[in-house]
């Protein structure tokens, strides 16, 4: 199978530019083309400006700004011939069939045979797109429907036609999976495919029923949120996020394309308030406000919500619904609650889940595809069929019958069954014939959740577990809340190290939580300090230092595999590992200064070591401490694994995995490779500048204070950090051992944790629940 070494994206709008940026994130050169603006002196101005916007975008489109160099801007009139060098061409132009087909004919005239051509459309059927085009073009054509923003949304819906070459589909699918990190869901050539068809149905129904039942937007979002594993934005918050102005276009295209007897047609309603909001620019976050807004009149910041009855704004009020809170333990009970919120829940979710069942096999062949589409395309915690299993198919069927709604035939199959089950250690799904089929993972995918179906941990306590991955490799998993680090994790690390040394050959540190680790358990630290148990805190700092040093110098390789946030102590584990295999979306940093303390488990020591050996830095004892001071004092966090290499939280030799599902397999392979003839590292002494360097760093912090961007306590923290990074009180430049730097870290940490300002900061972080970011 030929590889995709160069790609092209035609259409430099929001989606096209985002797709181009993410292809560049995969390390692949991509040509970005658009039309020539009328009367323009710069004929490639549209594509060039798109790249400029990408570099400024938040959230960032590029995983590293260096990736922008891989995007070559051009225009359709002058640069179309360059498509002959491309292995994949993505069309992302306006949703007009005539425009697309005219472009396809131009593409077909210059592309090399076998080049994959795909459209990012979500509204025009593939059969219509390829009608009248050459046999060769139809053979190489498919639909690749990305979700916005392309870098972050893992779902990629792929549609192929009866004439599409399976090898072309396989080539694009493999590239999307391995290089772009996408979960590829195969869809039928039907309007809206899976996620947008079902998601739009859910949104329209949820909005219409909120009006009909007289709920507030806060109440509706409370019901259509966490009880069903839907993001806390709910439906009205989601519409504000994507833009109300898109709603009529998506609704209209599906309304026109779907049969008149499709259940979707019943959700189409004319809501005057929404029409008025769109006309007056109240289209959500990108406009003057939406269902929610932040009122800044008079210099204040008041969160407001719209009154669905009057159309006027009022102060936002948190919904307090007991039946919604109770749904955390039994979501099915919410559907039967004899309250407005209960009626709303059953009216929306029972119909939505029934529609999901109705879409098998109309839009997809099995429940797995539909569940994947909604989890990854709409960030639902559970897919529709996983939700049905949680609710119970009999409960759902009873609810539908009570509303006089038809019950899909596929749903009746599960009346006495579940859509998913585990049999002989294999997760299976229910087929349309009533029998179960194994869920088959793609080659190269290894999930800890699958291992747990047939195995027991070899070690375990209340905060962590150790699993046998086979081939002599153990996996250390954090299981504490938010994967925060505590004495239980530190203790089990010691036991795991002994077990690997005695009976195995490598250790992988990995988990499948949303975040690798948010750092040390601040709640426990605050509790200990509030009862003046500072000795216990100091013991934990010392134990963590010992455990991390033991990992670094163990007689076997340690490979950490982070995904999501790896902050504070989580970052320090990475710094002490022999190697890291990071998911591309890893956000790594030493953030302790943000709560008024210092890294206490060797983070300063390891960062000094890495920057001291950087050949790009000027020689001498000061450049490395200055660089580390800049990052640690400002609680810098990388916005990707690629950026983490630029900060040296990761080494250049550390690996990056684009697909989250492939991370554990890649980490295990790296551990096995390192275990061959493994030799532990040797301690490195650091050459640090002493008190004169400390004064220079303190002066830099003072300048921030004078500019109003650092508090008085920030100066106290900065001074303690400067002392650690410059080697302590010695009055001359000298080599400093790792043990000495660790002692400085411990002393600095304990000095700061005893201050009221630090305890107040910790309490604030715990109350807001916000992660520490720069």
């Amino acid at each position: 199978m030929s590889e995709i070494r160069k790609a092209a994206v035609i259409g430099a709008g929001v989606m096209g530019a985002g797709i181009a940026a993410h292809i560049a994130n995969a390390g692949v050169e991509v040509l970005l083309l658009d039309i020539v603006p009328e009367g323009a002196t710069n004929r490639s101005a549209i594509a060039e400006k798109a790249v400029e916007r990408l570099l400024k975008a938040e959230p960032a489109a590029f995983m590293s700004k260096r990736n922008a160099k891989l995007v070559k801007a051009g225009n359709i009139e002058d640069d179309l011939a360059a498509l002959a060098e491309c292995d994949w061409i993505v069309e992302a132009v306006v949703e007009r069939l005539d425009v697309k087909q005219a472009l396809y004919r131009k593409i077909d005239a210059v592309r090399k045979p076998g080049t994959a051509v795909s459209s990012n459309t979500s509204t025009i059927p593939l059969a219509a797109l390829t009608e009248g085009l050459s046999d060769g073009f139809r053979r190489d054509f498919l639909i690749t429907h990305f979700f916005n923003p392309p870098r972050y949304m893992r779902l990629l819906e792929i549609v192929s036609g009866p004439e599409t070459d399976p090898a072309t589909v396989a080539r694009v699918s493999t590239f999307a999976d391995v290089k772009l990190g996408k979960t590829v869901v195969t869809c039928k050539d039907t309007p809206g495919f899976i996620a947008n068809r079902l998601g739009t149905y859910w949104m329209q129904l949820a909005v219409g029923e909120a009006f009909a039942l007289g709920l507030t937007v806060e109440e509706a979002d409370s019901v259509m949120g966490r009880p069903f594993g839907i993001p806390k934005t709910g439906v009205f918050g989601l519409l504000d996020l994507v833009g109300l102005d898109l709603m009529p276009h998506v609704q209209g295209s599906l309304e026109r394309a779907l049969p008149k007897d499709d259940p979707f047609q019943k959700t189409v309603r004319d809501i005057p308030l929404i029409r008025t909001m769109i006309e007056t620019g109240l289209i959500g976050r990108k406009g003057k406000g939406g269902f929610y807004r932040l009122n800044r009149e008079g210099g204040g910041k008041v969160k407001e919500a719209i009154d669905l009855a009057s159309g006027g704004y009022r102060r936002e009020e948190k919904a307090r619904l007991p039946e919604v809170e109770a749904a955390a333990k039994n979501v099915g009970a919410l559907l039967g609650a004899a309250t407005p919120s209960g009626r709303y829940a059953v009216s929306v979710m029972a119909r939505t889940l029934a529609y999901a069942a109705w879409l098998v096999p109309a839009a997809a062949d099995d429940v797995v595809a539909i569940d994947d589409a909604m989890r990854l395309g709409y960030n639902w915690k559970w897919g529709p069929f996983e939700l049905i299993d949680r609710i119970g198919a009999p409960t759902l069927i009873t609810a539908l019958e009570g509303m006089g709604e038809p019950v899909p035939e596929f749903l009746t199959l599960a009346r006495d069954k579940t859509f998913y089950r585990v049999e002989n250690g294999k997760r299976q799904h229910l087929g349309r014939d009533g029998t179960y089929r194994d869920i088959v993972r793609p080659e190269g995918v290894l999930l800890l959740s699958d291992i747990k179906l047939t195995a027991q941990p070899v070690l375990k306590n209340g905060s962590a577990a150790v699993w046998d991955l086979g081939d002599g490799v153990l996996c250390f998993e954090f299981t504490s809340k938010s994967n925060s680090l505590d004495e239980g994790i530190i203790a089990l690390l010691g036991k795991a190290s002994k077990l690997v040394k005695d009976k195995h050959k490598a250790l992988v540190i990995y988990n499948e939580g949303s975040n690798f680790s948010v750092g040390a358990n601040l709640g426990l630290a605050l509790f200990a300090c509030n009862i003046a148990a500072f000795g216990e805190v100091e013991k934990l700092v010392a134990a963590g230092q010992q455990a991390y040093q033991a990992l670094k110098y163990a007689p076997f390789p340690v490979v950490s595999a982070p995904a999501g946030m790896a902050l504070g102590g989580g970052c320090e584990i990475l710094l002490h590992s022999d190697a890291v295999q990071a998911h591309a979306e890893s956000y790594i940093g030493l953030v302790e200064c943000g709560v008024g303390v210092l890294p206490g488990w060797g983070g300063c020591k390891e960062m000094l070591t890495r920057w001291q050996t950087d050949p790009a830095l000027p020689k001498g004892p000061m450049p490395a401490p200055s660089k580390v001071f800049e990052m640690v004092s400002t609680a810098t966090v990388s916005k990707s694994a690629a950026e983490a290499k630029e900060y040296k939280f990761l080494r250049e030799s550390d690996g990056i995995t684009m697909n989250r599902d492939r991370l554990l397999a890649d980490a295990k392979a790296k551990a096995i490779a390192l275990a061959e003839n493994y030799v532990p590292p040797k301690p490195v002494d650091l050459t640090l500048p002493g008190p004169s360097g400390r004064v220079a760093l303190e002066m830099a912090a003072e300048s921030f204070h004078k500019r109003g961007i650092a508090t008085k306590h920030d100066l106290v923290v900065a001074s303690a950090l400067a002392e650690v990074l410059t080697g302590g009180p010695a009055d001359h430049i000298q080599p400093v051992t790792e043990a000495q730097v660790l002692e400085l870290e411990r002393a600095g940490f304990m000095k700061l944790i005893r201050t009221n300002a630090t305890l107040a900061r910790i309490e604030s972080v715990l109350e807001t629940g916000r992660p520490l970011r720069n």
Side-chain angles (χ1 to χ4, degrees), residues 130-171:
T130 58
E131 186 177 359
L133 295 171
S134 70
D135 291 345
F137 187 87
R138 292 199 300 273
R139 198 162 44 244
D140 295 330
F141 186 82
L142 63 159
I143 290 173
T144 50
H145 180 219
F146 289 81
F147 282 70
N148 194 33
R151 169 183 163 182
Y152 299 94
M153 299 301 288
R154 286 183 58 192
L155 176 63
L156 179 67
E157 293 180 324
I158 285 188
V159 180
S160 59
E163 298 171 81
T164 308
D165 183 357
T168 299
V169 178
R171 184 166 68 253

Short mmCIF file of all heavy atoms in Angstrom, two decimals, residues 130-171:
data_model
loop_
_atom_site.label_atom_id
_atom_site.label_comp_id
_atom_site.label_asym_id
_atom_site.label_seq_id
_atom_site.Cartn_x
_atom_site.Cartn_y
_atom_site.Cartn_z
N THR A 130 -20.19 12.46 -7.66
CA THR A 130 -19.40 11.80 -8.71
C THR A 130 -20.19 11.57 -9.99
O THR A 130 -19.63 11.04 -10.96
CB THR A 130 -18.88 10.45 -8.20
OG1 THR A 130 -19.99 9.63 -7.80
CG2 THR A 130 -17.94 10.64 -7.03
N GLU A 131 -21.44 11.97 -10.03
CA GLU A 131 -22.26 11.73 -11.22
C GLU A 131 -21.66 12.43 -12.45
O GLU A 131 -21.32 13.61 -12.42
CB GLU A 131 -23.68 12.25 -11.00
CG GLU A 131 -24.63 11.90 -12.13
CD GLU A 131 -26.05 12.36 -11.85
OE1 GLU A 131 -26.29 12.94 -10.77
OE2 GLU A 131 -26.91 12.14 -12.71
N GLY A 132 -21.47 11.65 -13.52
CA GLY A 132 -20.96 12.19 -14.77
C GLY A 132 -19.45 12.31 -14.84
O GLY A 132 -18.91 12.73 -15.87
N LEU A 133 -18.73 11.94 -13.78
CA LEU A 133 -17.28 12.04 -13.78
C LEU A 133 -16.66 10.73 -14.28
O LEU A 133 -17.34 9.70 -14.41
CB LEU A 133 -16.77 12.38 -12.38
CG LEU A 133 -17.20 13.77 -11.90
CD1 LEU A 133 -16.87 13.96 -10.42
CD2 LEU A 133 -16.54 14.86 -12.72
N SER A 134 -15.37 10.76 -14.56
CA SER A 134 -14.71 9.61 -15.19
C SER A 134 -14.71 8.39 -14.27
O SER A 134 -14.81 8.52 -13.04
CB SER A 134 -13.27 9.98 -15.55
OG SER A 134 -12.49 10.11 -14.37
N ASP A 135 -14.57 7.23 -14.89
CA ASP A 135 -14.51 5.98 -14.12
C ASP A 135 -13.34 6.01 -13.14
O ASP A 135 -13.45 5.58 -11.99
CB ASP A 135 -14.36 4.79 -15.06
CG ASP A 135 -15.62 4.54 -15.88
OD1 ASP A 135 -16.67 5.11 -15.53
OD2 ASP A 135 -15.53 3.80 -16.88
N GLY A 136 -12.19 6.52 -13.60
CA GLY A 136 -11.01 6.57 -12.75
C GLY A 136 -11.21 7.48 -11.56
O GLY A 136 -10.77 7.17 -10.46
N PHE A 137 -11.88 8.60 -11.76
CA PHE A 137 -12.13 9.52 -10.66
C PHE A 137 -13.06 8.87 -9.63
O PHE A 137 -12.81 8.94 -8.43
CB PHE A 137 -12.75 10.82 -11.18
CG PHE A 137 -12.90 11.88 -10.13
CD1 PHE A 137 -11.86 12.76 -9.86
CD2 PHE A 137 -14.06 12.00 -9.38
CE1 PHE A 137 -11.97 13.73 -8.88
CE2 PHE A 137 -14.19 12.96 -8.40
CZ PHE A 137 -13.14 13.84 -8.14
N ARG A 138 -14.12 8.23 -10.12
CA ARG A 138 -15.06 7.59 -9.18
C ARG A 138 -14.38 6.47 -8.40
O ARG A 138 -14.72 6.22 -7.24
CB ARG A 138 -16.27 7.04 -9.94
CG ARG A 138 -17.16 8.12 -10.53
CD ARG A 138 -18.55 7.59 -10.85
NE ARG A 138 -18.51 6.50 -11.81
CZ ARG A 138 -18.52 6.66 -13.14
NH1 ARG A 138 -18.55 7.89 -13.64
NH2 ARG A 138 -18.50 5.63 -13.94
N ARG A 139 -13.40 5.83 -9.03
CA ARG A 139 -12.68 4.74 -8.35
C ARG A 139 -11.84 5.28 -7.19
O ARG A 139 -11.63 4.59 -6.19
CB ARG A 139 -11.80 4.02 -9.37
CG ARG A 139 -11.35 2.64 -8.94
CD ARG A 139 -10.88 1.79 -10.11
NE ARG A 139 -10.03 2.52 -11.04
CZ ARG A 139 -10.34 2.76 -12.31
NH1 ARG A 139 -11.49 2.34 -12.80
NH2 ARG A 139 -9.50 3.42 -13.11
N ASP A 140 -11.34 6.50 -7.31
CA ASP A 140 -10.44 7.05 -6.30
C ASP A 140 -11.12 8.05 -5.37
O ASP A 140 -10.45 8.69 -4.55
CB ASP A 140 -9.26 7.77 -7.00
CG ASP A 140 -8.38 6.81 -7.78
OD1 ASP A 140 -8.28 5.64 -7.37
OD2 ASP A 140 -7.80 7.23 -8.80
N PHE A 141 -12.44 8.17 -5.47
CA PHE A 141 -13.15 9.22 -4.73
C PHE A 141 -13.86 8.66 -3.50
O PHE A 141 -14.43 7.56 -3.53
CB PHE A 141 -14.17 9.92 -5.63
CG PHE A 141 -14.83 11.11 -4.98
CD1 PHE A 141 -14.20 12.34 -4.96
CD2 PHE A 141 -16.06 10.98 -4.36
CE1 PHE A 141 -14.79 13.43 -4.34
CE2 PHE A 141 -16.67 12.07 -3.74
CZ PHE A 141 -16.03 13.30 -3.73
N LEU A 142 -13.84 9.44 -2.42
CA LEU A 142 -14.56 9.09 -1.20
C LEU A 142 -14.88 10.38 -0.45
O LEU A 142 -14.42 11.48 -0.83
CB LEU A 142 -13.75 8.14 -0.32
CG LEU A 142 -12.41 8.62 0.26
CD1 LEU A 142 -12.03 7.78 1.47
CD2 LEU A 142 -11.28 8.52 -0.78
N ILE A 143 -15.67 10.28 0.59
CA ILE A 143 -15.95 11.41 1.47
C ILE A 143 -15.20 11.20 2.77
O ILE A 143 -15.25 10.11 3.36
CB ILE A 143 -17.46 11.55 1.74
CG1 ILE A 143 -18.19 12.02 0.47
CG2 ILE A 143 -17.74 12.52 2.88
CD1 ILE A 143 -19.70 12.02 0.59
N THR A 144 -14.48 12.24 3.21
CA THR A 144 -13.81 12.22 4.52
C THR A 144 -14.34 13.41 5.30
O THR A 144 -13.92 14.55 5.09
CB THR A 144 -12.28 12.32 4.36
OG1 THR A 144 -11.95 13.43 3.49
CG2 THR A 144 -11.71 11.05 3.77
N HIS A 145 -15.28 13.15 6.19
CA HIS A 145 -15.95 14.24 6.92
C HIS A 145 -15.26 14.47 8.26
O HIS A 145 -15.42 13.69 9.21
CB HIS A 145 -17.43 13.89 7.12
CG HIS A 145 -18.18 14.94 7.86
ND1 HIS A 145 -19.14 14.66 8.80
CD2 HIS A 145 -18.10 16.30 7.81
CE1 HIS A 145 -19.63 15.79 9.29
NE2 HIS A 145 -18.99 16.80 8.71
N PHE A 146 -14.47 15.55 8.32
CA PHE A 146 -13.80 15.95 9.56
C PHE A 146 -14.76 16.75 10.43
O PHE A 146 -15.73 17.33 9.94
CB PHE A 146 -12.58 16.83 9.25
CG PHE A 146 -11.42 16.11 8.64
CD1 PHE A 146 -11.39 15.84 7.28
CD2 PHE A 146 -10.35 15.71 9.42
CE1 PHE A 146 -10.31 15.19 6.70
CE2 PHE A 146 -9.26 15.07 8.86
CZ PHE A 146 -9.23 14.79 7.50
N PHE A 147 -14.45 16.81 11.71
CA PHE A 147 -15.23 17.62 12.64
C PHE A 147 -14.35 18.77 13.14
O PHE A 147 -13.13 18.66 13.21
CB PHE A 147 -15.76 16.77 13.79
CG PHE A 147 -16.96 15.95 13.38
CD1 PHE A 147 -16.82 14.89 12.50
CD2 PHE A 147 -18.22 16.26 13.86
CE1 PHE A 147 -17.92 14.15 12.09
CE2 PHE A 147 -19.33 15.54 13.46
CZ PHE A 147 -19.17 14.48 12.57
N ASN A 148 -15.00 19.87 13.47
CA ASN A 148 -14.30 21.11 13.81
C ASN A 148 -14.10 21.24 15.33
O ASN A 148 -15.07 21.06 16.07
CB ASN A 148 -15.10 22.31 13.27
CG ASN A 148 -14.29 23.59 13.30
OD1 ASN A 148 -13.08 23.57 13.11
ND2 ASN A 148 -14.96 24.70 13.53
N PRO A 149 -12.89 21.58 15.79
CA PRO A 149 -11.66 21.82 15.01
C PRO A 149 -10.96 20.50 14.66
O PRO A 149 -10.90 19.60 15.50
CB PRO A 149 -10.81 22.68 15.95
CG PRO A 149 -11.30 22.35 17.33
CD PRO A 149 -12.75 21.97 17.21
N PRO A 150 -10.44 20.39 13.44
CA PRO A 150 -9.90 19.11 12.96
C PRO A 150 -8.78 18.54 13.82
O PRO A 150 -8.64 17.33 13.90
CB PRO A 150 -9.39 19.47 11.55
CG PRO A 150 -10.25 20.60 11.12
CD PRO A 150 -10.48 21.41 12.36
N ARG A 151 -7.99 19.41 14.45
CA ARG A 151 -6.90 18.88 15.29
C ARG A 151 -7.44 18.12 16.49
O ARG A 151 -6.90 17.08 16.87
CB ARG A 151 -5.98 20.02 15.76
CG ARG A 151 -5.00 19.57 16.84
CD ARG A 151 -4.15 20.70 17.37
NE ARG A 151 -3.52 20.31 18.65
CZ ARG A 151 -2.75 21.09 19.39
NH1 ARG A 151 -2.50 22.33 19.00
NH2 ARG A 151 -2.24 20.65 20.52
N TYR A 152 -8.48 18.62 17.10
CA TYR A 152 -8.91 18.12 18.41
C TYR A 152 -10.03 17.08 18.34
O TYR A 152 -10.14 16.26 19.24
CB TYR A 152 -9.34 19.28 19.29
CG TYR A 152 -8.25 20.28 19.55
CD1 TYR A 152 -8.12 21.41 18.76
CD2 TYR A 152 -7.33 20.07 20.57
CE1 TYR A 152 -7.10 22.33 18.99
CE2 TYR A 152 -6.31 20.98 20.81
CZ TYR A 152 -6.20 22.11 20.01
OH TYR A 152 -5.18 23.00 20.23
N MET A 153 -10.87 17.15 17.33
CA MET A 153 -12.00 16.22 17.25
C MET A 153 -11.54 14.91 16.61
O MET A 153 -11.10 14.89 15.46
CB MET A 153 -13.14 16.84 16.45
CG MET A 153 -13.69 18.12 17.07
SD MET A 153 -14.31 17.90 18.74
CE MET A 153 -15.81 16.98 18.41
N ARG A 154 -11.67 13.83 17.36
CA ARG A 154 -11.08 12.56 16.93
C ARG A 154 -11.88 11.84 15.84
O ARG A 154 -11.36 10.96 15.16
CB ARG A 154 -10.94 11.62 18.14
CG ARG A 154 -9.82 12.02 19.08
CD ARG A 154 -9.68 11.01 20.20
NE ARG A 154 -9.42 9.66 19.70
CZ ARG A 154 -9.48 8.57 20.45
NH1 ARG A 154 -9.81 8.67 21.73
NH2 ARG A 154 -9.23 7.39 19.94
N LEU A 155 -13.13 12.22 15.65
CA LEU A 155 -13.97 11.49 14.70
C LEU A 155 -13.65 11.86 13.26
O LEU A 155 -13.53 13.04 12.92
CB LEU A 155 -15.45 11.79 14.99
CG LEU A 155 -16.46 11.17 14.01
CD1 LEU A 155 -16.40 9.64 14.05
CD2 LEU A 155 -17.87 11.65 14.33
N LEU A 156 -13.57 10.86 12.41
CA LEU A 156 -13.53 11.06 10.96
C LEU A 156 -14.52 10.08 10.34
O LEU A 156 -14.34 8.87 10.43
CB LEU A 156 -12.14 10.82 10.38
CG LEU A 156 -12.04 10.99 8.86
CD1 LEU A 156 -12.26 12.45 8.47
CD2 LEU A 156 -10.72 10.48 8.32
N GLU A 157 -15.58 10.61 9.74
CA GLU A 157 -16.56 9.77 9.06
C GLU A 157 -16.11 9.58 7.61
O GLU A 157 -15.81 10.56 6.92
CB GLU A 157 -17.94 10.43 9.10
CG GLU A 157 -18.52 10.50 10.50
CD GLU A 157 -19.89 11.15 10.54
OE1 GLU A 157 -20.14 12.10 9.76
OE2 GLU A 157 -20.72 10.72 11.36
N ILE A 158 -16.06 8.33 7.17
CA ILE A 158 -15.65 8.02 5.81
C ILE A 158 -16.79 7.32 5.08
O ILE A 158 -17.41 6.39 5.60
CB ILE A 158 -14.38 7.15 5.79
CG1 ILE A 158 -13.16 8.02 6.15
CG2 ILE A 158 -14.18 6.49 4.45
CD1 ILE A 158 -11.82 7.33 5.99
N VAL A 159 -17.07 7.81 3.87
CA VAL A 159 -18.11 7.25 3.02
C VAL A 159 -17.47 6.89 1.70
O VAL A 159 -16.78 7.72 1.09
CB VAL A 159 -19.26 8.26 2.79
CG1 VAL A 159 -20.33 7.65 1.91
CG2 VAL A 159 -19.85 8.71 4.12
N SER A 160 -17.68 5.69 1.25
CA SER A 160 -17.20 5.27 -0.07
C SER A 160 -18.39 4.84 -0.92
O SER A 160 -19.46 4.53 -0.39
CB SER A 160 -16.20 4.12 0.05
OG SER A 160 -16.79 3.01 0.71
N GLY A 161 -18.19 4.87 -2.23
CA GLY A 161 -19.26 4.48 -3.14
C GLY A 161 -19.06 3.06 -3.65
O GLY A 161 -18.02 2.44 -3.39
N PRO A 162 -20.02 2.54 -4.39
CA PRO A 162 -19.90 1.17 -4.90
C PRO A 162 -18.73 1.00 -5.86
O PRO A 162 -18.23 -0.12 -6.04
CB PRO A 162 -21.24 0.95 -5.61
CG PRO A 162 -21.79 2.32 -5.86
CD PRO A 162 -21.29 3.18 -4.76
N GLU A 163 -18.25 2.09 -6.45
CA GLU A 163 -17.13 1.99 -7.39
C GLU A 163 -15.80 2.38 -6.76
O GLU A 163 -14.76 2.27 -7.39
CB GLU A 163 -17.40 2.89 -8.61
CG GLU A 163 -18.65 2.48 -9.39
CD GLU A 163 -19.00 3.52 -10.45
OE1 GLU A 163 -18.37 3.48 -11.53
OE2 GLU A 163 -19.90 4.35 -10.21
N THR A 164 -15.82 2.85 -5.53
CA THR A 164 -14.57 3.28 -4.88
C THR A 164 -13.65 2.08 -4.66
O THR A 164 -14.09 1.03 -4.17
CB THR A 164 -14.86 3.95 -3.53
OG1 THR A 164 -15.82 4.99 -3.71
CG2 THR A 164 -13.59 4.55 -2.97
N ASP A 165 -12.39 2.24 -5.00
CA ASP A 165 -11.40 1.19 -4.82
C ASP A 165 -11.16 0.97 -3.31
O ASP A 165 -10.78 1.90 -2.61
CB ASP A 165 -10.09 1.60 -5.49
CG ASP A 165 -9.02 0.51 -5.42
OD1 ASP A 165 -9.26 -0.53 -4.80
OD2 ASP A 165 -7.93 0.73 -5.98
N PRO A 166 -11.39 -0.24 -2.80
CA PRO A 166 -11.16 -0.50 -1.37
C PRO A 166 -9.74 -0.17 -0.93
O PRO A 166 -9.52 0.23 0.22
CB PRO A 166 -11.44 -2.00 -1.24
CG PRO A 166 -12.37 -2.31 -2.38
CD PRO A 166 -11.93 -1.42 -3.50
N ALA A 167 -8.76 -0.30 -1.84
CA ALA A 167 -7.38 0.01 -1.48
C ALA A 167 -7.21 1.51 -1.20
O ALA A 167 -6.44 1.91 -0.33
CB ALA A 167 -6.43 -0.43 -2.60
N THR A 168 -7.95 2.32 -1.94
CA THR A 168 -7.90 3.77 -1.71
C THR A 168 -8.49 4.10 -0.35
O THR A 168 -7.94 4.90 0.41
CB THR A 168 -8.68 4.52 -2.81
OG1 THR A 168 -8.07 4.25 -4.07
CG2 THR A 168 -8.68 6.01 -2.56
N VAL A 169 -9.62 3.48 -0.03
CA VAL A 169 -10.24 3.70 1.28
C VAL A 169 -9.31 3.25 2.39
O VAL A 169 -9.13 3.96 3.39
CB VAL A 169 -11.59 2.94 1.37
CG1 VAL A 169 -12.20 3.12 2.75
CG2 VAL A 169 -12.55 3.42 0.29
N ALA A 170 -8.66 2.11 2.20
CA ALA A 170 -7.75 1.59 3.22
C ALA A 170 -6.55 2.51 3.41
O ALA A 170 -6.11 2.74 4.54
CB ALA A 170 -7.28 0.19 2.85
N ARG A 171 -6.03 3.05 2.31
CA ARG A 171 -4.87 3.93 2.39
C ARG A 171 -5.19 5.21 3.16
O ARG A 171 -4.45 5.63 4.06
CB ARG A 171 -4.36 4.27 0.99
CG ARG A 171 -3.10 5.10 0.98
CD ARG A 171 -2.45 5.14 -0.41
NE ARG A 171 -3.25 5.87 -1.38
CZ ARG A 171 -3.95 5.32 -2.36
NH1 ARG A 171 -3.95 3.99 -2.49
NH2 ARG A 171 -4.63 6.05 -3.21
#
